[in-house]
mmCIF file with all atom_site columns, all heavy atoms in Angstrom:
data_model
loop_
_atom_site.group_PDB
_atom_site.id
_atom_site.type_symbol
_atom_site.label_atom_id
_atom_site.label_alt_id
_atom_site.label_comp_id
_atom_site.label_asym_id
_atom_site.label_entity_id
_atom_site.label_seq_id
_atom_site.pdbx_PDB_ins_code
_atom_site.Cartn_x
_atom_site.Cartn_y
_atom_site.Cartn_z
_atom_site.occupancy
_atom_site.B_iso_or_equiv
_atom_site.pdbx_formal_charge
_atom_site.auth_seq_id
_atom_site.auth_comp_id
_atom_site.auth_asym_id
_atom_site.auth_atom_id
_atom_site.pdbx_PDB_model_num
ATOM 1   N N   . PHE I 1 10 ? -5.746  7.501  7.044  1.00 92.00 ? 10 PHE I N   1
ATOM 2   C CA  . PHE I 1 10 ? -5.595  8.047  8.350  1.00 92.00 ? 10 PHE I CA  1
ATOM 3   C C   . PHE I 1 10 ? -6.257  9.455  8.472  1.00 92.00 ? 10 PHE I C   1
ATOM 4   O O   . PHE I 1 10 ? -6.689  9.859  9.567  1.00 92.00 ? 10 PHE I O   1
ATOM 5   C CB  . PHE I 1 10 ? -4.124  8.130  8.738  1.00 92.00 ? 10 PHE I CB  1
ATOM 6   C CG  . PHE I 1 10 ? -3.578  6.818  9.218  1.00 92.00 ? 10 PHE I CG  1
ATOM 7   C CD1 . PHE I 1 10 ? -2.834  6.067  8.273  1.00 92.00 ? 10 PHE I CD1 1
ATOM 8   C CD2 . PHE I 1 10 ? -3.797  6.404  10.465 1.00 92.00 ? 10 PHE I CD2 1
ATOM 9   C CE1 . PHE I 1 10 ? -2.287  4.815  8.772  1.00 92.00 ? 10 PHE I CE1 1
ATOM 10  C CE2 . PHE I 1 10 ? -3.276  5.122  10.940 1.00 92.00 ? 10 PHE I CE2 1
ATOM 11  C CZ  . PHE I 1 10 ? -2.540  4.393  10.041 1.00 92.00 ? 10 PHE I CZ  1
ATOM 12  N N   . ALA I 1 11 ? -6.284  10.198 7.409  1.00 91.00 ? 11 ALA I N   1
ATOM 13  C CA  . ALA I 1 11 ? -6.924  11.537 7.415  1.00 91.00 ? 11 ALA I CA  1
ATOM 14  C C   . ALA I 1 11 ? -8.443  11.416 7.598  1.00 91.00 ? 11 ALA I C   1
ATOM 15  O O   . ALA I 1 11 ? -9.056  12.359 8.141  1.00 91.00 ? 11 ALA I O   1
ATOM 16  C CB  . ALA I 1 11 ? -6.592  12.227 6.166  1.00 91.00 ? 11 ALA I CB  1
ATOM 17  N N   . ALA I 1 12 ? -9.038  10.289 7.214  1.00 90.00 ? 12 ALA I N   1
ATOM 18  C CA  . ALA I 1 12 ? -10.415 10.169 7.323  1.00 90.00 ? 12 ALA I CA  1
ATOM 19  C C   . ALA I 1 12 ? -10.898 9.663  8.630  1.00 90.00 ? 12 ALA I C   1
ATOM 20  O O   . ALA I 1 12 ? -12.070 9.659  8.985  1.00 90.00 ? 12 ALA I O   1
ATOM 21  C CB  . ALA I 1 12 ? -10.972 9.192  6.211  1.00 90.00 ? 12 ALA I CB  1
ATOM 22  N N   . VAL I 1 13 ? -9.979  9.299  9.476  1.00 92.00 ? 13 VAL I N   1
ATOM 23  C CA  . VAL I 1 13 ? -10.328 8.731  10.814 1.00 92.00 ? 13 VAL I CA  1
ATOM 24  C C   . VAL I 1 13 ? -9.865  9.672  11.900 1.00 92.00 ? 13 VAL I C   1
ATOM 25  O O   . VAL I 1 13 ? -8.836  10.313 11.802 1.00 92.00 ? 13 VAL I O   1
ATOM 26  C CB  . VAL I 1 13 ? -9.594  7.286  10.950 1.00 92.00 ? 13 VAL I CB  1
ATOM 27  C CG1 . VAL I 1 13 ? -9.743  6.771  12.325 1.00 92.00 ? 13 VAL I CG1 1
ATOM 28  C CG2 . VAL I 1 13 ? -10.059 6.364  9.876  1.00 92.00 ? 13 VAL I CG2 1
ATOM 29  N N   . PRO I 1 14 ? -10.631 9.740  13.000 1.00 92.00 ? 14 PRO I N   1
ATOM 30  C CA  . PRO I 1 14 ? -10.182 10.654 14.104 1.00 92.00 ? 14 PRO I CA  1
ATOM 31  C C   . PRO I 1 14 ? -8.841  10.182 14.682 1.00 92.00 ? 14 PRO I C   1
ATOM 32  O O   . PRO I 1 14 ? -8.442  9.039  14.589 1.00 92.00 ? 14 PRO I O   1
ATOM 33  C CB  . PRO I 1 14 ? -11.294 10.479 15.161 1.00 92.00 ? 14 PRO I CB  1
ATOM 34  C CG  . PRO I 1 14 ? -12.451 9.980  14.392 1.00 92.00 ? 14 PRO I CG  1
ATOM 35  C CD  . PRO I 1 14 ? -11.927 9.210  13.230 1.00 92.00 ? 14 PRO I CD  1
ATOM 36  N N   . LEU I 1 15 ? -8.121  11.133 15.214 1.00 93.00 ? 15 LEU I N   1
ATOM 37  C CA  . LEU I 1 15 ? -6.800  10.963 15.721 1.00 93.00 ? 15 LEU I CA  1
ATOM 38  C C   . LEU I 1 15 ? -6.665  9.871  16.771 1.00 93.00 ? 15 LEU I C   1
ATOM 39  O O   . LEU I 1 15 ? -5.747  9.090  16.755 1.00 93.00 ? 15 LEU I O   1
ATOM 40  C CB  . LEU I 1 15 ? -6.199  12.243 16.245 1.00 93.00 ? 15 LEU I CB  1
ATOM 41  C CG  . LEU I 1 15 ? -4.799  12.233 16.764 1.00 93.00 ? 15 LEU I CG  1
ATOM 42  C CD1 . LEU I 1 15 ? -3.880  11.955 15.636 1.00 93.00 ? 15 LEU I CD1 1
ATOM 43  C CD2 . LEU I 1 15 ? -4.443  13.542 17.455 1.00 93.00 ? 15 LEU I CD2 1
ATOM 44  N N   . TYR I 1 16 ? -7.662  9.755  17.666 1.00 93.00 ? 16 TYR I N   1
ATOM 45  C CA  . TYR I 1 16 ? -7.602  8.792  18.726 1.00 93.00 ? 16 TYR I CA  1
ATOM 46  C C   . TYR I 1 16 ? -7.780  7.371  18.269 1.00 93.00 ? 16 TYR I C   1
ATOM 47  O O   . TYR I 1 16 ? -7.554  6.387  18.983 1.00 93.00 ? 16 TYR I O   1
ATOM 48  C CB  . TYR I 1 16 ? -8.584  9.146  19.834 1.00 93.00 ? 16 TYR I CB  1
ATOM 49  C CG  . TYR I 1 16 ? -10.032 9.089  19.471 1.00 93.00 ? 16 TYR I CG  1
ATOM 50  C CD1 . TYR I 1 16 ? -10.758 7.965  19.564 1.00 93.00 ? 16 TYR I CD1 1
ATOM 51  C CD2 . TYR I 1 16 ? -10.624 10.230 19.016 1.00 93.00 ? 16 TYR I CD2 1
ATOM 52  C CE1 . TYR I 1 16 ? -12.100 7.910  19.134 1.00 93.00 ? 16 TYR I CE1 1
ATOM 53  C CE2 . TYR I 1 16 ? -11.940 10.235 18.619 1.00 93.00 ? 16 TYR I CE2 1
ATOM 54  C CZ  . TYR I 1 16 ? -12.707 9.038  18.736 1.00 93.00 ? 16 TYR I CZ  1
ATOM 55  O OH  . TYR I 1 16 ? -14.009 9.042  18.407 1.00 93.00 ? 16 TYR I OH  1
ATOM 56  N N   . LEU I 1 17 ? -8.264  7.144  16.967 1.00 93.00 ? 17 LEU I N   1
ATOM 57  C CA  . LEU I 1 17 ? -8.438  5.832  16.408 1.00 93.00 ? 17 LEU I CA  1
ATOM 58  C C   . LEU I 1 17 ? -7.291  5.386  15.513 1.00 93.00 ? 17 LEU I C   1
ATOM 59  O O   . LEU I 1 17 ? -7.342  4.252  14.936 1.00 93.00 ? 17 LEU I O   1
ATOM 60  C CB  . LEU I 1 17 ? -9.752  5.781  15.599 1.00 93.00 ? 17 LEU I CB  1
ATOM 61  C CG  . LEU I 1 17 ? -11.020 5.869  16.407 1.00 93.00 ? 17 LEU I CG  1
ATOM 62  C CD1 . LEU I 1 17 ? -12.191 6.001  15.508 1.00 93.00 ? 17 LEU I CD1 1
ATOM 63  C CD2 . LEU I 1 17 ? -11.181 4.724  17.404 1.00 93.00 ? 17 LEU I CD2 1
ATOM 64  N N   . TRP I 1 18 ? -6.245  6.201  15.364 1.00 93.00 ? 18 TRP I N   1
ATOM 65  C CA  . TRP I 1 18 ? -5.102  5.850  14.482 1.00 93.00 ? 18 TRP I CA  1
ATOM 66  C C   . TRP I 1 18 ? -4.433  4.554  14.952 1.00 93.00 ? 18 TRP I C   1
ATOM 67  O O   . TRP I 1 18 ? -4.076  3.740  14.069 1.00 93.00 ? 18 TRP I O   1
ATOM 68  C CB  . TRP I 1 18 ? -4.114  6.984  14.444 1.00 93.00 ? 18 TRP I CB  1
ATOM 69  C CG  . TRP I 1 18 ? -4.541  8.094  13.524 1.00 93.00 ? 18 TRP I CG  1
ATOM 70  C CD1 . TRP I 1 18 ? -5.781  8.242  12.912 1.00 93.00 ? 18 TRP I CD1 1
ATOM 71  C CD2 . TRP I 1 18 ? -3.776  9.225  13.105 1.00 93.00 ? 18 TRP I CD2 1
ATOM 72  N NE1 . TRP I 1 18 ? -5.827  9.401  12.171 1.00 93.00 ? 18 TRP I NE1 1
ATOM 73  C CE2 . TRP I 1 18 ? -4.593  9.983  12.238 1.00 93.00 ? 18 TRP I CE2 1
ATOM 74  C CE3 . TRP I 1 18 ? -2.489  9.669  13.369 1.00 93.00 ? 18 TRP I CE3 1
ATOM 75  C CZ2 . TRP I 1 18 ? -4.158  11.148 11.677 1.00 93.00 ? 18 TRP I CZ2 1
ATOM 76  C CZ3 . TRP I 1 18 ? -2.066  10.799 12.773 1.00 93.00 ? 18 TRP I CZ3 1
ATOM 77  C CH2 . TRP I 1 18 ? -2.856  11.563 11.940 1.00 93.00 ? 18 TRP I CH2 1
ATOM 78  N N   . PRO I 1 19 ? -4.180  4.361  16.205 1.00 94.00 ? 19 PRO I N   1
ATOM 79  C CA  . PRO I 1 19 ? -3.492  3.061  16.537 1.00 94.00 ? 19 PRO I CA  1
ATOM 80  C C   . PRO I 1 19 ? -4.343  1.838  16.219 1.00 94.00 ? 19 PRO I C   1
ATOM 81  O O   . PRO I 1 19 ? -3.841  0.819  15.746 1.00 94.00 ? 19 PRO I O   1
ATOM 82  C CB  . PRO I 1 19 ? -3.348  3.157  18.098 1.00 94.00 ? 19 PRO I CB  1
ATOM 83  C CG  . PRO I 1 19 ? -3.442  4.595  18.430 1.00 94.00 ? 19 PRO I CG  1
ATOM 84  C CD  . PRO I 1 19 ? -4.283  5.204  17.405 1.00 94.00 ? 19 PRO I CD  1
ATOM 85  N N   . TYR I 1 20 ? -5.652  1.942  16.366 1.00 93.00 ? 20 TYR I N   1
ATOM 86  C CA  . TYR I 1 20 ? -6.499  0.836  16.033 1.00 93.00 ? 20 TYR I CA  1
ATOM 87  C C   . TYR I 1 20 ? -6.559  0.643  14.497 1.00 93.00 ? 20 TYR I C   1
ATOM 88  O O   . TYR I 1 20 ? -6.437  -0.534 14.037 1.00 93.00 ? 20 TYR I O   1
ATOM 89  C CB  . TYR I 1 20 ? -7.966  1.196  16.521 1.00 93.00 ? 20 TYR I CB  1
ATOM 90  C CG  . TYR I 1 20 ? -9.019  0.155  16.222 1.00 93.00 ? 20 TYR I CG  1
ATOM 91  C CD1 . TYR I 1 20 ? -8.893  -1.144 16.709 1.00 93.00 ? 20 TYR I CD1 1
ATOM 92  C CD2 . TYR I 1 20 ? -10.122 0.519  15.453 1.00 93.00 ? 20 TYR I CD2 1
ATOM 93  C CE1 . TYR I 1 20 ? -9.878  -2.077 16.425 1.00 93.00 ? 20 TYR I CE1 1
ATOM 94  C CE2 . TYR I 1 20 ? -11.124 -0.464 15.184 1.00 93.00 ? 20 TYR I CE2 1
ATOM 95  C CZ  . TYR I 1 20 ? -11.002 -1.760 15.650 1.00 93.00 ? 20 TYR I CZ  1
ATOM 96  O OH  . TYR I 1 20 ? -11.894 -2.655 15.428 1.00 93.00 ? 20 TYR I OH  1
ATOM 97  N N   . LEU I 1 21 ? -6.574  1.646  13.743 1.00 93.00 ? 21 LEU I N   1
ATOM 98  C CA  . LEU I 1 21 ? -6.536  1.596  12.257 1.00 93.00 ? 21 LEU I CA  1
ATOM 99  C C   . LEU I 1 21 ? -5.159  0.956  11.843 1.00 93.00 ? 21 LEU I C   1
ATOM 100 O O   . LEU I 1 21 ? -5.059  0.114  10.950 1.00 93.00 ? 21 LEU I O   1
ATOM 101 C CB  . LEU I 1 21 ? -6.778  2.896  11.605 1.00 93.00 ? 21 LEU I CB  1
ATOM 102 C CG  . LEU I 1 21 ? -6.695  2.922  10.101 1.00 93.00 ? 21 LEU I CG  1
ATOM 103 C CD1 . LEU I 1 21 ? -7.719  2.024  9.501  1.00 93.00 ? 21 LEU I CD1 1
ATOM 104 C CD2 . LEU I 1 21 ? -6.825  4.347  9.600  1.00 93.00 ? 21 LEU I CD2 1
ATOM 105 N N   . TRP I 1 22 ? -4.035  1.444  12.450 1.00 94.00 ? 22 TRP I N   1
ATOM 106 C CA  . TRP I 1 22 ? -2.767  1.019  12.113 1.00 94.00 ? 22 TRP I CA  1
ATOM 107 C C   . TRP I 1 22 ? -2.608  -0.512 12.391 1.00 94.00 ? 22 TRP I C   1
ATOM 108 O O   . TRP I 1 22 ? -2.108  -1.291 11.513 1.00 94.00 ? 22 TRP I O   1
ATOM 109 C CB  . TRP I 1 22 ? -1.692  1.718  12.963 1.00 94.00 ? 22 TRP I CB  1
ATOM 110 C CG  . TRP I 1 22 ? -0.306  1.234  12.554 1.00 94.00 ? 22 TRP I CG  1
ATOM 111 C CD1 . TRP I 1 22 ? 0.507   1.675  11.572 1.00 94.00 ? 22 TRP I CD1 1
ATOM 112 C CD2 . TRP I 1 22 ? 0.417   0.213  13.208 1.00 94.00 ? 22 TRP I CD2 1
ATOM 113 N NE1 . TRP I 1 22 ? 1.711   0.975  11.570 1.00 94.00 ? 22 TRP I NE1 1
ATOM 114 C CE2 . TRP I 1 22 ? 1.623   0.056  12.551 1.00 94.00 ? 22 TRP I CE2 1
ATOM 115 C CE3 . TRP I 1 22 ? 0.181   -0.600 14.314 1.00 94.00 ? 22 TRP I CE3 1
ATOM 116 C CZ2 . TRP I 1 22 ? 2.657   -0.840 12.941 1.00 94.00 ? 22 TRP I CZ2 1
ATOM 117 C CZ3 . TRP I 1 22 ? 1.141   -1.571 14.735 1.00 94.00 ? 22 TRP I CZ3 1
ATOM 118 C CH2 . TRP I 1 22 ? 2.350   -1.659 14.030 1.00 94.00 ? 22 TRP I CH2 1
ATOM 119 N N   . LEU I 1 23 ? -3.114  -0.995 13.504 1.00 95.00 ? 23 LEU I N   1
ATOM 120 C CA  . LEU I 1 23 ? -3.068  -2.380 13.852 1.00 95.00 ? 23 LEU I CA  1
ATOM 121 C C   . LEU I 1 23 ? -3.858  -3.220 12.816 1.00 95.00 ? 23 LEU I C   1
ATOM 122 O O   . LEU I 1 23 ? -3.395  -4.294 12.456 1.00 95.00 ? 23 LEU I O   1
ATOM 123 C CB  . LEU I 1 23 ? -3.618  -2.654 15.248 1.00 95.00 ? 23 LEU I CB  1
ATOM 124 C CG  . LEU I 1 23 ? -3.526  -4.007 15.856 1.00 95.00 ? 23 LEU I CG  1
ATOM 125 C CD1 . LEU I 1 23 ? -2.061  -4.368 16.009 1.00 95.00 ? 23 LEU I CD1 1
ATOM 126 C CD2 . LEU I 1 23 ? -4.209  -4.068 17.153 1.00 95.00 ? 23 LEU I CD2 1
#
Side-chain angles (χ1 to χ4, degrees):
F10 281 102
V13 175
L15 182 63
Y16 63 90
L17 292 174
W18 282 9
Y20 180 59
L21 178 62
W22 180 86
L23 187 64

